[in-house]
């Protein structure tokens, strides 16, 4: 019996090659997209799970609340003193381990100098908490001694080539030597951080580096990733509930405006395995993923599969008229209905099987492309686990049954007497159901068109919105110890060359984040009144405004002509509003205290987009600390002409002369700016590709369906032509029905698309308004696509010789 | 074998009511070869469909081998049909995607005969119909006469007690037609009951008895000598 079904199925597929091709191709492409997206999703869901203790590791987070209790800053890192006290105060903590990211640091071995970006100080018990394969050295002791360092194989290779790296020394930031005590295997790609170098935490105890006292007393330097290994079945809620008391106990004496510290500082716990998808703090080790992205792509995968299944249902039921006679004969000969149902389901399962095999091969071929577009390191290996393989192998059955059940029930219900007499016409109820299916497909397509357009509009908007500063021809480099010693000399020499307009130093640069905050106070009556809104600070020097092209709207910027400028502040317009001054001019010369430093506002600058468009512009104060306290991380150069290449060459040459121990690595500000939206850009690209695939499959289905619908009306077309209808009239007649369906689909799609995109746009502080014409255009595009698809068949039918079609009847 | 009494079948559309069978009473004995004749629309096809358990009457009784089957549901009818009745159609109704062998094999598959037994029986019947040499051909590769021989082979492969033939020679030239009629006669002589609807007086002469119908009723019965 099965063999017989199989035979019929295969012969039927071959006989109706066109429709079989559409079905098979649609399902294959649909399943390929699904497999690709599944690979991506599995990878997203797998982050940090490779750790043996994955389920018992938590990261301690800190958020800052303002007076009103609103979170103003949320960090995945905390101050070192918390880590110092936590294990003692919470005996259930099995281990506590910390990682402190040092920022870009020049490292030197013999003649090789590199700016190390992924450099972390790590507690010696790191490997007791995280699962890391140590290839050389003793994991128990390698991070114990101060000034010891462990490297990944890649990092070791970079410095030492084929030499044995063990016990070699590397010069750290022109400050001290560190000794290689171990080699470890790089953290896997699905880890939330990827240290390339691990320095012993005990190095920080040296007061020349950081200081033991600071490690125990600093509540302000929130730069320490702090992880806790907890016992199994640990409930984080209990511990979080005890945090406020802990904060008040340990931070006592740090009351602010009459409130206990716990009112402003909240500690939290994040499960290690939740970090990648659920953590959206203001500072993360690396850009994380997002659960909503996982949902969006799951939805797209399902959409595509649904469209492909609908094609199958549509074309099979449409084609059923051609098989009516076979069904009739089988029934007369003795087939029961369930046997026929089994036969037709078997056919659809067979097609799905063929499709999934092809899809597997296509996925293998397409994965490198997906990796390139998404910037991921996905591999099919992720699919090779039982809990994935079994569902994948079952998929053909599920899809086969889902998409075959309607055609099977429909066809097996044919009356044999009618089918054998040729009285049977595919029609009646099935047409309206098919219409529902086509409407669904087009609704999905229209939703995808609209969302794609809006995503691109928003991306265009944020990338072209006026930033309030000039990001063109601005080059940034690391400001290191070595640079700080010779900065003025280097600046003077460089600016003698007219290719350079200006140079400045700052703690942070636009396109970065604004996370540094100290309390601000203004004179109110006779006393200083604290400003309730947070004002973030940037440590800068005299040349910040002119280098970045920031406009001064009132007063003046810092200037070398005023000797006392270390007691001066420049604020932005948002800060003027936050304090409550009437306008920019009103703010100038006002008393202002920031942190411990008192002085005057000397100028107000325009609101500019320091951070990405996801963030609203916040109040900012530019501070010039005295030289002894200066705190700069970046050196920025503005090139004046358009002749960039020679300017850069000159800049590098001069750099090497002054700073032999700091590599002249530079980045362009406009490139940094583009990187801010890389995640969205990648998402948009993927989205577009998958949307096009979905629309294409839908069109394929419509193409097949219209071919069939028109073939059913061949005689009608013949008669109409004999009676005098012209080609355009007939094309219009045949296309009209389908265009009506597109219209209905559009009406259904609009609210869904609007709702979805309105939600998506909420992520941006600066966003476009959704415009009505996008919907109209999407509707027209869909209608046009439908019309082209249908009219291809319609024109063919309309220009055929009517005599032929009438004679064949 | 077959006894129908006061059988009625009415086709209704919104405006027209067509009486296809009007209190029809017929009896066919086992081993008979009966021809049913009459003008188009007289109800003979409806009668054949009801006799073949493809359609059910509105009222009246239909005894098949002593069992009342008029009220059987679809499943029961299908069961009875596949074990007892073979069909031969004017337009052959072979499945285009199956070979000669596979077409003839199909009824055996549905009655659950084992593969080895099926092969034996299909080959025997193809041999008998002298179409063995065409066993791996598809229907479109055969002449009309050959296709109808395959259809007859398919009708008899299950050894049915009754063969219903609906104008079996209607699409054939006279020599092929005669061959098919000879096949039916041979089957009848071996004991199979045959009921045949035909327009052809020539074909009807092969039967034992002709039932003539008009407007859903029998008007005349000729016994052939």
């Amino acid at each position: 019996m099965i063999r017989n079904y199989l035979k019929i199925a295969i012969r039927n597929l071959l006989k109706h090659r066109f429709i079989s091709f559409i079905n098979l191709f649609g399902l294959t492409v649909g399943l390929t997209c699904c497999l690709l997206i599944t690979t991506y999703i599995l990878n997203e869901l797998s982050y940090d799970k490779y750790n043996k203790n994955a389920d018992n590791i938590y990261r301690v987070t800190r958020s800052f609340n303002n007076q009103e209790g609103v979170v103003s800053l949320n960090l995945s890192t905390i101050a070192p003193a918390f880590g110092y006290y936590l294990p003692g105060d919470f005996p259930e903590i099995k281990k506590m381990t910390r990682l402190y990211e040092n920022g870009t640091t020049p490292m030197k071995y013999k003649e090789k100098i590199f700016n190390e970006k992924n450099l972390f100080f790590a507690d010696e018990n790191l490997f007791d908490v995280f699962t890391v394969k140590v290839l050389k050295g003793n994991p128990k002791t390698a991070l114990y001694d101060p000034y010891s360092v462990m490297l990944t194989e890649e990092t070791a290779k970079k410095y030492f080539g084929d030499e044995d790296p063990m016990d070699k020394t590397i010069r750290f930031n022109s400050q001290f030597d560190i000794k290689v005590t171990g080699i470890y295997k790089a953290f896997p790609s699905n880890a939330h951080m990827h240290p390339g170098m691990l320095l012993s935490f005990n190095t920080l105890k040296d007061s020349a580096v950081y200081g033991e006292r600071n490690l125990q007393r600093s509540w302000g330097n929130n730069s320490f990733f702090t992880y806790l290994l907890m016992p199994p079945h640990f409930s984080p809620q209990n511990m979080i509930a005890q945090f406020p008391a802990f904060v008040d106990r340990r931070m006592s004496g740090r009351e602010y405006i009459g409130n206990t510290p716990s009112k402003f500082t909240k500690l939290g716990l994040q499960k290690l395995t939740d970090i990648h998808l659920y953590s959206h703090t203001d500072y993360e080790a690396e850009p994380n993923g997002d659960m909503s992205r996982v949902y969006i792509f799951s939805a797209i995968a399902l959409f595509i599969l649904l469209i492909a299944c609908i094609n199958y249902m549509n074309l099979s039921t449409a084609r059923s008229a051609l098989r009516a006679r076979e069904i009739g004969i089988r029934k007369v000969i003795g087939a029961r209905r369930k046997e026929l149902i089994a036969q037709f389901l078997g056919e659809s399962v067979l097609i799905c099987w063929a499709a999934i095999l092809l899809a597997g091969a296509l996925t293998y071929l397409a994965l490198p492309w997906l990796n390139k577009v998404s910037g991921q390191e996905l591999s099919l290996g992720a699919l090779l686990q039982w809990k994935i393989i079994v569902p994948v192998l079952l998929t053909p059955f599920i899809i086969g049954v889902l998409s075959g059940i309607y055609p099977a029930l429909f066809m097996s219900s044919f009356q044999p007497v009618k089918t054998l007499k040729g009285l049977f016409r595919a029609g009646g109820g099935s047409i309206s159901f098919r219409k529902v299916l086509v409407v669904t497909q087009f609704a999905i397509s229209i939703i995808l068109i609209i969302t794609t357009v809006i995503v691109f509009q928003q991306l265009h908007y944020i990338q072209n919105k006026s930033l309030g500063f000039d990001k063109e021809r601005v080059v940034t480099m690391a400001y290191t110890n070595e640079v700080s010693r010779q900065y003025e000399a280097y600046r003077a020499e460089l600016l003698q060359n007219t290719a350079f307009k200006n140079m400045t130093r700052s703690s942070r640069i636009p396109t970065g984040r604004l996370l540094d905050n100290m309390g601000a106070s203004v004179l109110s009556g006779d006393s200083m009144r604290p400003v309730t809104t947070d004002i973030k600070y940037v440590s800068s020097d005299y040349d910040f405004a002119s280098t970045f092209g920031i406009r001064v709207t009132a007063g003046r910027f810092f200037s070398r002509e005023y000797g006392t400028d270390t007691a001066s502040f420049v604020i932005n317009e948002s800060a003027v509003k936050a304090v409550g001054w009437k306008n920019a001019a009103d703010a100038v010369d006002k008393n202002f205290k920031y942190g411990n430093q008192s002085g005057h506002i000397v100028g107000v600058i325009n609101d500019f987009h320091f951070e990405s468009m996801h963030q609203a512009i916040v109040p900012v104060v530019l501070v010039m600390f005295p030289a002894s306290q200066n705190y700069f991380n970046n050196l920025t150069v503005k090139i004046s002409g358009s002749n960039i290449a020679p300017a850069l060459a000159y800049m590098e040459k001069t750099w090497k002369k002054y700073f032999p121990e700091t590599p002249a690595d530079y980045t362009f500000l406009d490139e940094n700016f583009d990187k801010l939206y890389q995640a969205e850009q990648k998402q948009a690209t993927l989205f577009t590709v998958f949307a096009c695939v979905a629309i294409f499959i839908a069109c394929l289905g419509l193409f097949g369906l219209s071919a069939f619908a028109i073939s059913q009306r061949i005689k009608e077309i013949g008669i109409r032509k004999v009676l005098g209808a012209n080609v355009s009239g007939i094309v219009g007649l045949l296309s009209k029905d389908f265009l009506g369906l597109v219209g209905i689909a559009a009406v259904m799609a609009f609210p869904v698309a609007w709702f979805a995109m309105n939600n998506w746009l909420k992520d941006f502080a600066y966003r476009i308004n959704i415009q009505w014409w996008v919907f109209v255009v999407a509707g027209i595009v869909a209608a046009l696509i439908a019309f082209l698809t249908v009219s291809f068949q319609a024109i063919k039918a309309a220009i055929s010789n009517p005599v032929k079609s009438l004679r064949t009847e | 074998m077959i006894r129908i009494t006061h059988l009625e079948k009415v086709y209704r559309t919104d405006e027209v009511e067509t009486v296809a069978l009007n209190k029809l009473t017929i009896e066919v004995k086992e081993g008979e070869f009966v021809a049913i004749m009459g003008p188009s629309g007289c109800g003979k096809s409806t009668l054949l469909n009801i006799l073949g358990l493809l359609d059910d009457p509105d009222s009246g009784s239909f005894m098949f081998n002593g069992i009342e089957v008029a009220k059987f549901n679809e499943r029961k009818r299908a069961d009875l049909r596949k074990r007892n009745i073979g069909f031969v159609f004017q337009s052959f109704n072979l499945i285009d995607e199956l070979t000669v062998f596979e077409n003839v094999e199909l009824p055996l598959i549905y009655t659950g005969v084992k593969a080895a037994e099926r092969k034996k029986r299909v080959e025997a019947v193809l041999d008998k119909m002298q179409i063995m040499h065409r066993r791996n051909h598809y229907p479109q590769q055969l002449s009309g006469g050959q296709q109808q021989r395959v259809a007859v082979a398919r009708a008899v492969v299950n050894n049915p007690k009754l063969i219903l033939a609906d104008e079996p020679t209607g699409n054939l030239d006279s020599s092929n037609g005669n061959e098919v009629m000879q096949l039916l006669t041979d089957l009848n002589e071996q004991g199979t009951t045959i009921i045949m609807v035909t327009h052809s007086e020539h074909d009807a002469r092969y039967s034992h008895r002709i039932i003539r119908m008009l407007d859903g009723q029998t008007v005349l019965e000729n016994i052939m000598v």
Side-chain angles (χ1 to χ4, degrees):
Chain A
M1 184 88 86
I2 303 240
R3 235 184 52 195
N4 184 274
Y5 292 163
L6 212 64
K7 241 186 278 180
I8 285 259
I10 290 171
R11 286 176 197 165
N12 246 315
L13 288 179
L14 292 177
K15 190 169 167 194
H16 304 285
R17 280 191 194 91
F18 173 61
I19 286 190
S20 304
F21 171 77
I22 292 180
N23 271 334
L24 189 61
F25 184 75
L27 276 173
T28 303
V29 174
L31 283 169
T32 306
C33 290
C34 281
L35 283 177
L36 285 174
I37 292 173
T38 307
T39 318
Y40 161 76
I41 290 173
L42 283 177
N43 184 58
E44 289 293 291
L45 295 176
S46 74
Y47 267 71
D48 294 306
K49 288 193 178 146
Y50 67 90
N51 279 293
K52 285 197 189 76
N53 298 321
D55 288 335
N56 301 318
I57 301 175
Y58 293 82
R59 184 167 76 177
V60 187
T61 60
R62 181 181 191 179
S63 68
F64 293 83
N65 296 44
N66 64 15
Q67 287 270 74
E68 286 83 38
V70 178
V71 175
S72 57
L73 184 66
N74 191 7
L75 298 174
S76 65
T77 42
I78 58 174
F82 289 111
Y84 177 73
Y85 288 113
L86 272 170
D89 287 17
F90 294 90
E92 64 265 45
I93 294 174
K94 285 169 74 179
K95 303 255 171 183
M96 188 273 304
T97 195
R98 288 170 293 182
L99 286 150
Y100 170 70
E101 190 174 9
N102 197 61
T104 304
T105 313
M107 301 286 235
K108 188 175 177 219
Y109 172 72
K110 289 185 180 166
E111 299 312 308
K112 290 182 185 167
I113 318 172
F114 299 103
N115 273 328
E116 275 308 324
K117 290 197 176 69
N118 293 310
L119 168 68
F120 288 82
F121 288 90
D123 269 318
E124 68 258 28
N125 63 357
L126 182 78
F127 306 123
D128 296 340
V129 176
F130 290 100
T131 306
V132 182
K133 191 166 185 197
V134 175
L135 303 167
K136 277 183 187 167
N138 183 347
K140 296 270 169 230
T141 57
L143 286 176
Y144 184 78
D145 290 331
Y147 307 104
S148 40
V149 66
M150 295 181 74
L151 312 174
T152 61
E153 295 165 287
E154 293 75 18
T155 315
K157 184 112 189 147
K158 193 167 75 175
Y159 285 90
F160 306 109
D162 294 329
E163 292 176 57
D164 181 8
M166 294 296 281
D167 297 323
K168 295 253 171 16
T169 55
I170 297 176
R171 184 91 184 139
F172 178 100
N173 199 9
S174 325
Q175 272 182 288
F176 49 81
D177 285 337
I178 48 179
K179 190 173 83 172
V180 179
T181 53
I183 303 294
Y184 62 95
K185 205 165 163 58
F187 288 25
S189 63
N190 59 352
H192 74 284
M193 59 160 59
H194 297 91
M197 259 191 195
L198 293 169
L199 260 84
S200 62
F201 204 81
N202 288 332
T203 315
L204 291 173
K205 288 182 176 161
D206 187 333
S207 59
V209 183
Y210 192 83
E212 190 158 15
R213 207 182 125 85
N214 283 333
L215 286 176
Q216 295 167 9
R217 303 265 178 92
S218 169
W219 301 100
N221 181 13
N222 296 291
S223 308
F224 292 76
F225 291 103
T226 306
Y227 299 88
L228 306 179
L229 177 62
M230 304 306 296
H233 313 300
F234 160 75
S235 154
Q237 263 61 47
N238 289 342
M239 191 158 165
I240 291 169
Q242 295 173 56
F243 277 153
F246 166 75
V247 168
D248 287 338
R249 184 167 68 244
R250 290 301 176 186
M251 289 178 77
S252 65
R254 295 187 160 253
E255 284 75 16
Y256 181 59
I257 326 179
N259 285 302
T260 56
S262 65
K263 177 150 169 74
F264 301 101
T265 278
K266 299 250 186 287
L267 294 185
L269 290 176
Q270 282 177 327
K271 206 168 172 209
L272 175 71
T273 48
D274 285 346
I275 290 175
H276 179 68
L277 289 175
Y278 296 97
S279 179
H280 302 293
T281 64
D282 292 303
Y283 178 70
E284 296 281 349
E286 286 175 21
N288 280 336
D290 189 348
M291 199 58 201
S292 70
R293 213 175 298 160
V294 169
Y295 288 135
I296 289 173
F297 280 104
S298 308
I300 293 181
L302 284 179
F303 273 169
I304 292 177
L305 204 57
L306 184 66
I307 289 179
C309 287
I310 287 179
N311 273 357
Y312 187 86
M313 284 191 229
N314 256 341
L315 295 174
S316 302
T317 42
R319 200 171 47 121
S320 60
L322 302 175
R323 299 187 68 178
R325 210 171 60 95
E326 178 198 332
I327 295 160
I329 295 168
R330 283 181 185 271
K331 281 197 158 186
V332 166
I333 286 171
R336 287 196 204 156
R337 196 168 171 196
K338 66 176 182 192
E339 286 163 328
L340 290 173
I341 292 175
Q343 178 187 346
F344 293 125
L345 285 185
E347 281 179 26
S348 59
V349 170
L350 183 78
I351 288 201
C352 293
W353 257 105
I356 201 136
L357 290 179
L358 288 172
L362 262 183
T363 306
Y364 176 76
L365 294 176
L367 209 55
W369 164 83
L370 182 66
N371 281 336
K372 207 173 130 202
V373 176
S374 69
Q376 308 262 357
E377 288 176 43
L378 307 175
S379 89
L380 275 187
L383 295 174
L384 298 179
Q385 44 176 316
W386 283 116
K387 66 178 183 199
I388 300 302
I389 290 180
V390 172
V392 166
L393 292 183
L394 286 177
T395 308
F397 288 101
I398 297 163
I399 299 177
V401 169
L402 276 182
S403 51
I405 192 76
Y406 176 71
L409 288 175
F410 173 68
M411 288 196 265
S412 64
S413 70
F414 292 168
Q415 291 275 325
V417 178
K418 285 185 187 155
T419 59
L420 293 182
K421 288 226 166 119
L423 290 173
F424 177 82
R425 285 186 58 81
S430 73
I431 291 234
S432 58
F433 184 70
R434 283 212 295 277
K435 282 181 179 166
V436 171
L437 294 179
V438 170
V439 166
T440 311
Q441 283 186 319
F442 265 84
I444 293 173
S445 302
I446 292 170
I447 291 172
L448 291 175
I449 294 173
I450 294 172
T451 47
T452 308
V453 171
I454 293 179
V455 166
F456 274 100
Q457 277 187 315
Q458 172 67 13
L459 284 181
H460 180 82
Y461 171 76
I462 56 180
Q463 285 172 338
N464 292 283
K465 186 177 186 294
S466 167
L467 294 169
F469 69 92
D470 186 6
K471 66 176 160 58
E472 304 303 324
R473 300 194 301 277
V474 176
V475 175
T476 307
M477 288 178 285
Y479 186 82
T480 63
N481 275 344
E482 188 190 30
V483 176
S484 67
R485 283 175 220 138
Q486 292 257 49
Y487 173 77
E488 290 299 342
Y490 175 64
R491 179 172 181 275
E493 175 157 355
L494 201 69
L495 291 186
Q496 277 173 10
N497 187 326
T498 54
F500 303 97
K501 192 169 167 228
N502 212 338
M503 185 196 292
T504 189
R505 297 167 290 178
S506 55
S507 56
R508 294 178 180 271
I509 51 166
T511 68
R513 292 300 310 272
L514 284 167
L515 302 176
D516 312 314
N517 183 22
M518 291 190 268
S521 315
V522 292
L523 190 68
S524 172
D526 291 339
S527 61
M528 294 301 280
R529 163 179 69 86
V531 178
T532 51
T533 312
D534 282 348
I535 301 180
K536 312 279 184 194
Y537 78 87
V538 176
S539 169
S540 85
D541 67 7
Y542 304 106
D543 309 297
F544 190 82
S546 80
T547 305
F548 287 106
I550 296 162
R551 208 160 43 83
V552 177
T553 55
R556 61 170 177 88
F557 201 75
F558 302 126
S559 167
R560 290 185 177 80
E561 292 158 27
Y562 299 80
T564 60
D565 255 1
T566 48
S568 306
F569 300 97
V570 172
I571 58 175
N572 69 353
E573 286 163 339
S574 290
V576 174
K577 279 188 213 110
V579 173
W581 286 313
K582 284 198 290 286
N583 54 42
D586 184 35
V588 175
D589 287 338
K590 285 280 182 340
N591 281 327
F592 193 77
K593 186 181 177 198
Y594 197 74
N596 299 321
Q597 192 166 350
S598 298
H600 292 87
I601 305 284
V602 296
V604 176
I605 49 174
N606 66 327
D607 274 344
F608 62 100
H609 286 278
F610 202 104
E611 300 175 288
S612 86
M613 299 285 172
H614 289 284
Q615 262 72 38
I617 292 178
V618 294
V620 173
V621 58
L622 299 185
V623 188
M624 265 189 56
F625 292 111
S628 60
Q629 296 170 28
N630 77 21
Y631 165 50
F632 298 132
N633 296 314
N634 304 282
L635 180 159
T636 305
V637 178
K638 170 81 177 179
I639 297 169
S640 50
S642 54
N643 236 346
I644 292 174
L648 288 176
Y650 180 78
M651 190 180 79
E652 278 186 73
K653 205 179 85 191
T654 323
W655 181 275
K656 278 186 187 134
K657 195 167 89 190
Y658 282 90
F659 315 121
E661 302 209 333
T662 306
D665 292 345
Y666 54 83
T667 57
F668 284 94
L669 198 63
D670 52 354
E671 285 170 6
N672 290 353
F673 176 80
D674 289 339
K675 277 189 197 138
L676 291 178
Y677 310 109
Q678 221 169 30
E680 278 89 3
Q681 201 77 53
K682 281 176 189 164
Q683 200 182 345
T685 309
L686 284 179
F687 203 84
T688 312
V689 170
F690 288 126
C692 287
V693 168
I695 294 165
F696 176 68
I697 299 176
C699 283
L700 218 53
L702 190 66
F703 189 71
L705 197 62
S706 59
F708 175 78
I710 288 167
S711 77
Q712 293 283 86
R713 295 174 74 175
I714 277 293
K715 189 178 170 196
E716 178 197 335
I717 296 165
I719 295 169
R720 281 178 189 271
K721 278 192 87 170
V722 169
L723 294 178
N726 59 12
V727 171
S728 61
I730 288 171
V731 171
L733 174 83
L734 295 173
S735 312
K736 202 178 64 195
D737 291 351
F738 287 102
L739 290 181
L741 297 182
V742 174
I744 298 170
V747 170
M748 287 169 57
F750 288 168
V752 179
W754 185 87
F755 180 77
M757 289 328 282
N758 201 41
N759 256 335
W760 182 77
L761 287 171
K762 279 183 186 156
D763 261 1
F764 294 88
Y766 299 91
R767 45 167 283 191
I768 53 164
N769 290 315
I770 298 178
Q771 283 139 321
W772 60 268
W773 60 261
V774 172
F775 293 75
V776 174
V777 166
I780 291 174
V781 167
L784 212 60
I785 292 173
F787 179 74
L788 287 176
T789 311
V790 175
S791 66
F792 180 83
Q793 304 280 353
I795 290 170
K796 211 168 76 179
I799 58 176
S800 66
N801 187 347
V803 176
K804 247 181 176 171
S805 60
L806 290 179
R807 198 193 292 139
T808 54
E809 189 47 36
Chain B
M1 181 183 212
I2 288 171
R3 175 183 305 198
I4 57 176
T5 21
H6 296 303
L7 207 64
E8 268 192 313
K9 180 78 183 177
V10 181
Y11 292 111
R12 288 185 185 84
T13 61
D14 287 347
E15 285 155 17
V16 193
E17 196 170 271
T18 316
V19 179
L21 297 178
N22 187 0
K23 299 205 186 312
L24 183 73
T25 301
I26 289 176
E27 185 172 358
V28 177
K29 291 202 166 58
E30 193 156 351
E32 264 197 303
F33 188 160
V34 177
I36 299 172
M37 298 191 74
S40 290
C42 72
K44 53 189 192 300
S45 289
T46 306
L47 174 61
L48 205 66
N49 287 336
I50 291 176
L51 289 175
L53 298 164
L54 295 172
D55 207 349
D56 47 354
D58 292 333
S59 67
S61 152
F62 176 9
M63 303 290 285
F64 188 93
N65 274 339
I67 308 162
E68 176 59 66
V69 297
K71 297 282 175 242
F72 268 24
N73 64 19
E74 160 123 20
R75 197 178 60 78
K76 277 185 166 173
R77 279 192 278 158
D79 254 11
L80 195 65
R81 187 163 67 222
K82 69 182 172 191
R83 296 187 192 287
N84 295 292
I85 305 171
F87 290 86
V88 178
F89 299 94
Q90 176 180 3
S91 53
F92 324 134
N93 277 336
L94 299 172
I95 295 180
D96 293 337
E97 286 78 21
L98 297 180
T99 62
V100 165
F101 184 94
E102 288 159 354
N103 262 293
V104 177
E105 188 189 24
L106 205 52
L108 297 177
I109 293 176
Y110 284 125
T111 41
V113 178
K114 295 259 182 310
E117 171 73 8
R118 287 207 301 265
K119 185 163 185 284
K120 217 167 72 189
R121 274 164 69 174
V122 172
E123 280 174 357
V125 74
L126 287 178
D127 210 31
K128 199 158 105 185
M129 299 294 153
Q130 296 171 8
I131 196 115
M132 191 61 181
H133 58 294
R134 293 288 209 171
R135 53 176 295 173
N136 289 326
H137 287 87
Y138 288 91
Q140 301 94 314
Q141 297 169 306
L142 306 180
S143 73
Q146 286 170 326
Q147 287 191 46
Q148 195 61 302
R149 289 220 296 276
V150 176
V152 172
R154 186 180 63 186
V156 301
V157 72
N158 240 344
N159 295 323
K161 297 187 181 71
L162 173 65
I163 287 181
L164 298 173
D166 192 353
E167 301 199 38
T169 63
N171 283 6
L172 300 176
D173 61 28
S174 59
S175 80
N176 273 317
N178 285 339
E179 263 183 52
V180 168
M181 286 315 298
Q182 196 51 55
L183 276 176
L184 292 177
T185 310
D186 293 348
L187 287 168
N188 179 244
E189 278 165 9
Q190 288 154 27
T192 314
T193 311
I194 294 175
I195 301 175
M196 172 178 75
V197 165
T198 183
H199 275 120
S200 154
E201 293 288 346
H202 170 265
D203 287 355
R205 260 179 250 132
Y206 285 88
S207 69
H208 304 154
R209 181 156 66 104
I210 299 174
I211 298 172
R212 293 189 191 270
M213 288 179 67
L214 188 65
D215 296 340
Q217 288 176 306
T218 52
V219 289
L220 195 63
E221 292 198 21
N222 308 47
I223 312 292
M224 310 300 287
V225 185

